Amino acid sequence: MLSITQSTSPGICRICSAHCGVLATVTDGKLTKVTGDPDNPMFKGYTCAKGRALPEIHNNPARLLHSQKRQPDGTYAPVESERAMDEIAALLRELIDRHGPRSVAMYLGTNGLPYPASPLMANAFLRGIESPMFFTANTIDQPGKQIALAAHGHWLGGDVNFNEADSWLLVGTNPIVSKAIGIPGQNPAQRLKEAIGRGMKLIVIDPRRSQTAARAAIHIQPRPGEDASILAAMINLIIREQLCDTEFLAQNVEGFDELAEAVGGFTPEYVAERADVPASQLIDAARLFATYGTRRGMVNCGTGANFAMHGSLLEYLALCLTTICGRWQRAGEPVTRPNTLLPAYTAKAQPLPPYEGWDYGERLRVRGLTDTVSGMPTAALADEILLEGEGQVKALICIGGNPMAAWPDQRKTQRAMEKLELLVTLDTEMSLTSRLAHYVIAPKMQMETPAMTQGSELIKYYAAGTGIPAAYAQYAPRLVEPPPGSDLVEEWQFFLGLAKRMNLTLFFVNFFGGGGGRYMESPPIVLTMDADTDLTTEELFAEMCATARIPLDEVARHPHGKIFDVDAVVQERDPDCMARLDIGNEYLLGDLAVVLAEDFRSARDDAAFPYRLIPRRHPNFMNSSGTNLAGLNRGKPYNPAYMHPDSIAALGAQLGTAVTITSPHDSIPAVLEPDDTLRRDVIAMHHAFGGLVAEDAEFRHRGSNVGRLVPTDIEYDAITGLPRQGNIPVRVTAGIAG
């Protein structure tokens, strides 16, 4: 009889920023089962479908076990990782010699989350070659969050605890599925159920009656793209009815008169017509948020709302609404996110004033775009590759991302990828982008590497309403060895390997603060690395946590994770503090004037494009990852075009009908699916599906690339370059064009 070796250990799922505590079962050296960990004090046995599918993800037959090199005939052949690093380093040296450091760019996608050292080392490598061209997924998702914080300033007492809130406002986000913003990501459905059970009132603004909206006390279901108008109307009414926290405003805020004037035209009646919602709903929502309970609660906006243009303005109005109602943690109250594997800090009931958020640093060659606190504008990177001349990007390294699935304007993106002299991806399989790469570096997967929750804590600097709302931390060792005979590298070690071959000295910086490093709660940790550096990931983690409030060794002594006893209280304002939050930013309120001047009636009556396409989160996928796995796609590897049943009937169509969706820019094929949670004038689709440009015929097997419908150079945020990726005007016709 064969002997079976099996063990079950606590671990951390790192598919998303929630970092759920899980139990991982390894059988004869293979990951075979992942479940929630009932002994984890934060998650209490919760995990999602993506986490439970980790064994299928790890053991995917399509997983790369060896790095790949493109051959002259376009096929791929295995290449030893050390040899690949030799060749890539030599090619990078040659390109830098010919074209300068700016010719090398890097793109960091959301799948960098599982490996906290990797983004930092990738950034250190790019700084080591003196290239400014570091791009991330942030600027094609919600870059307005950091722009708004720079213009508004930060409240150093921190945000209100959701678990103690009286009301909460969510705009274009569905955290029950996304586990990202607003409701804590540690079992969000249960957190929301408990909050409503104790009396919290939830307000949701969403064109779809999502899983989160279905639980709201007030669900405003507007025409897409009117989120900024709705928040302006709420601010207008709160100011007009004198429902503001005047004491908080007098001590901490400037720009009130400018804000009041800017929202003056956004009456509930006017916005009700724009948004096609009852004016009474807007009035009720404003009064509830401003007056219900004891002033606790905040505003959070999501991807859906940010995609619809005016994202920076929207996020700024969300902060202004929070601030005029005084919805921040005050002196004497507990600190909501007190840090555990991050350094201890002193929270104070005072502002950190606005700071420079854009129009500095590297200036791109297109559309007048510059570096910002949210990062370099990713939507312009394809242009930087395609535009001939000095400064042209010749090489791109992608880590944890899939531009061909995720970037807007897929046709332009593919032309750019094919034009590169060197495209390197670090990928677990031959994704769309990897299929165009010169080298594909095969990395280890998450359960093959150690894990810690410092990265999940760091998310709090991204925006209010994110991060871990407790002094919680967990560390997990490697739980499974890489498959026998494989040749896999950890991503951070790949970049250190390149640096050694190029004789670079890298400065690995782990900083603890927001605003792209423009303010810090604690001094950064700086590690110098060169040809003599010899570190394990475990040793690097120890260095990254050297100034942690709770030492990493202590955290590791609690394998199921622990909520530590940290008595952190918001301190009184410094006597000499003169700083103020700014709710009257001239530039962003100028954008509100642009919204007011829009001819919304003509846009509504455009017979050529009668529908509006909005994004939608999929509960089983993290962007483009896992769509080819049967356990996750459940027989549906495509992304349907969801429409209200009445709208489908009006087309003379039905479930499963193939249609063509056309925007002013391009067309895609899709499969119809009814959804009565949508407005009748709205279509919803998941992003990051589809094949390469020539593979549209495979849409039932690969899905449809929504980014194909989006131009990058017509409607875009002038600061971040983010194009309109939601509220896309479209028409739907039965059958497949062409």
Side-chain angles (χ1 to χ4, degrees), residues 10-23 34-37 40 42-48 51-52 54 179 185-188 446-447 451 453 456 468 472 474 476 560:
I12 302 171
C13 172
R14 289 155 277 165
I15 287 177
C16 77
S17 62
H19 282 38
C20 296
V22 298
L23 293 178
V34 170
T35 63
D37 181 0
N40 184 289
M42 179 63 72
F43 295 91
K44 301 177 181 178
Y46 169 79
T47 189
C48 74
R52 293 189 294 274
L54 274 170
K179 291 175 280 296
Q186 299 77 26
N187 197 347
Q446 55 174 280
M447 293 296 176
T453 53
S456 191
I468 303 175
Y472 165 83
Q474 186 179 6
H560 296 275

Side-chain angles (χ1 to χ4, degrees), residues 397-550:
I397 303 174
C398 292
I399 173 175
N402 188 4
M404 283 303 305
W407 288 7
D409 201 337
Q410 192 198 33
R411 291 185 194 274
K412 180 192 285 186
T413 299
Q414 185 161 333
R415 292 197 305 272
M417 297 300 111
E418 292 172 339
K419 189 179 181 66
L420 287 162
E421 293 188 30
L422 177 63
L423 173 58
V424 179
T425 62
L426 290 88
D427 213 328
T428 58
E429 60 182 76
M430 294 299 289
S431 66
L432 295 187
T433 308
S434 292
R435 289 167 56 197
L436 302 175
H438 299 95
Y439 292 87
V440 185
I441 304 302
K444 294 181 181 179
M445 296 188 76
Q446 55 174 280
M447 293 296 176
E448 296 160 359
T449 67
M452 63 172 176
T453 53
Q454 188 188 73
S456 191
E457 285 187 57
L458 279 164
I459 296 293
K460 75 171 187 173
Y461 298 117
Y462 174 57
T466 59
I468 303 175
Y472 165 83
Q474 186 179 6
Y475 172 85
R478 305 170 193 265
L479 297 182
V480 64
E481 291 296 319
S486 61
D487 175 20
L488 306 174
V489 299
E490 293 193 50
E491 293 168 337
W492 75 269
Q493 292 174 331
F494 167 76
F495 290 105
L496 182 58
L498 292 183
K500 289 181 176 183
R501 288 162 172 82
M502 298 173 71
N503 296 315
L504 301 174
T505 296
L506 301 187
F507 297 97
F508 179 100
V509 181
N510 196 19
F511 67 86
F512 314 106
R518 276 163 176 71
Y519 87 90
M520 296 188 184
E521 290 176 343
S522 304
I525 292 173
V526 182
L527 304 176
T528 303
M529 300 189 183
D530 55 26
D532 296 325
T533 299
D534 185 17
L535 277 176
T536 65
T537 305
E538 289 83 353
E539 290 167 337
L540 181 55
F541 279 10
E543 295 283 0
M544 292 170 64
C545 297
T547 58
R549 179 193 293 271
I550 307 295

Side-chain angles (χ1 to χ4, degrees), residues 43 54 88 107-108 123 149 155 168 186 224 243 312 360 396 417 434 445 478 482 505 565 586 699 710 718:
F43 295 91
L54 274 170
I88 293 167
Y107 173 69
L108 171 66
N123 184 264
L149 278 168
W155 181 250
W168 210 274
Q186 299 77 26
L243 303 178
S312 298
Y360 61 78
L396 176 65
M417 297 300 111
S434 292
M445 296 188 76
R478 305 170 193 265
T505 296
D565 185 14
E586 181 179 4
F699 69 97
V710 177

Side-chain angles (χ1 to χ4, degrees), residues 3 15 85 142 291 334 422:
S3 175
I15 287 177
M85 284 187 267
Q142 302 176 64
T291 66
L422 177 63

